[in-house]
Amino acid sequence: LKVMVCCGYYDLATPFFNAEYAVDHMGLRTDVRGNIILNYYDAGHMIYVNKAADAKLKADAEEFYQGAAKQ
């Protein structure tokens, strides 16, 4: 399973480092941990509101889909 996590620097609804903390404390093997990708955006949890962040999200999602489809 491959997972892409999108983190907004200015998110007031969810704590910023919560995703990193959760992933780091799952006790995953190194090879499995590589399947979780954390991406960061200059936005809140509604990344699509910021045009630049939305463009980065689109590019990151496309890269993620292409990488996941190859395996």
Side-chain angles (χ1 to χ4, degrees):
L1 176 67
K2 299 219 178 245
V3 177
M4 182 176 90
V5 180
C6 302
C7 303
Y9 289 119
Y10 309 113
D11 193 343
L12 297 176
T14 57
F16 174 69
F17 286 111
N18 192 43
E20 289 180 3
Y21 180 87
V23 171
D24 288 342
H25 288 83
M26 286 181 179
L28 300 173
R29 296 186 325 256
T30 305
D31 59 325
V32 175
R33 171 59 183 90
N35 290 339
I36 301 175
I37 299 166
L38 294 162
N39 291 320
Y40 301 91
Y41 302 91
D42 194 19
H45 68 276
M46 296 190 306
I47 299 166
Y48 49 84
V49 173
N50 179 312
K51 286 191 176 201
D54 187 39
K56 182 178 180 321
L57 173 62
K58 184 177 188 283
D60 290 344
E62 182 63 29
E63 182 180 343
F64 176 75
Y65 300 147
Q66 294 299 323
K70 290 180 184 177
Q71 295 189 12

